[in-house]
Amino acid sequence: MSDVLALVEARLLTALGEPDARAAITFLGTDRIEVLRFAASDDAGDIVRYATLGMSAHPMTDPTASLADPLRGPRAELVLSVRAGRADTDKVLRPLAVLAASPQVEGLVVAPGASLDTGEPLWPGAPFTSVLVAESGGLVEDLELDAPLDPVRFLPLLPMTPNEAAWKRVQGAAALEERWLRHGTDLRDPLRAGVPLGD
């Protein structure tokens, strides 16, 4: 499915410009996952973006399905946006690759509203060990593929503190996003504190 990845990379470059760095990581028994870094531009201010490339090579399959369909099924790549210069966020490359490999490794279907846990800080000193998967279609438009292939969705990742992740498990993704919005939370701040959860 290298042709799919070529189209995915072209869509990323159209939306985000030329990457200024990229890293490739291969996990045992999985295809290679690349993470592309897009430096802050004049349009984005001080925002640096990281996008995976490789997750969409194969459709995600429900682990309860008796037979995996090699063509049909949701496809996605992950996109993380953070403010540059406030933390060593380039260390997020490996955790991002781990998350992107999770459909192949663990049989996960990554979809909006899901929580993904890395089990470690996203970067040194980060108050986040997990992310909330947000809806696609904003920063990078969905990429339509020829039938019968499903489109590739570029899913934004919103870092969560452990308390936010625990609260989200009980209250749901929509409630957490509404709370972030109500408190004016800067979800791109790599050093932000958790949103108040008691009021």
Side-chain angles (χ1 to χ4, degrees):
M1 294 315 252
S2 59
D3 51 337
V4 169
L5 294 185
L7 293 171
V8 168
E9 184 170 0
R11 174 58 55 92
L12 285 170
L13 269 56
T14 298
L16 304 177
E18 286 290 329
D20 67 343
R22 58 200 305 156
I25 300 175
T26 304
F27 303 99
L28 190 62
T30 68
D31 294 337
R32 184 173 80 161
I33 300 286
E34 285 191 89
V35 180
L36 282 56
R37 179 186 187 273
F38 298 88
S41 66
D42 292 341
D43 296 340
D46 62 345
I47 304 299
V48 61
R49 307 189 193 279
Y50 303 91
T52 64
L53 178 62
M55 181 177 171
S56 60
H58 304 285
M60 293 179 277
T61 304
D62 185 333
T64 62
S66 56
L67 190 62
D69 190 321
L71 297 177
R72 295 174 182 82
R75 295 172 189 260
E77 297 290 353
L78 308 176
V79 181
L80 175 70
S81 302
V82 293
R83 297 203 178 280
R86 299 190 187 180
D88 188 8
T89 55
D90 282 350
K91 294 291 197 303
V92 80
L93 300 180
R94 183 172 176 80
L96 267 185
V98 169
L99 296 180
S102 61
Q104 289 185 65
V105 175
E106 302 174 39
L108 291 181
V109 176
V110 177
S115 301
L116 301 176
D117 198 315
T118 61
E120 62 182 4
L122 292 178
W123 50 82
F128 320 106
T129 58
S130 62
V131 293
L132 174 65
V133 182
E135 291 285 348
S136 66
L139 182 63
V140 185
E141 289 184 17
D142 295 348
L143 173 64
E144 297 293 334
L145 300 175
D146 293 337
L149 305 184
D150 286 30
V152 177
R153 305 198 184 284
F154 298 87
L155 301 173
L157 301 180
L158 308 175
M160 293 188 291
T161 67
N163 284 345
E164 289 171 341
W167 196 85
K168 179 258 175 188
R169 279 193 292 276
V170 175
Q171 303 292 335
L176 178 58
E177 292 188 75
E178 188 277 331
R179 188 161 286 257
W180 280 336
L181 189 63
R182 180 152 41 103
H183 287 273
T185 306
D186 182 1
L187 296 173
R188 295 170 173 173
D189 182 351
L191 299 174
R192 74 170 178 85
V195 71
L197 299 172
D199 57 342

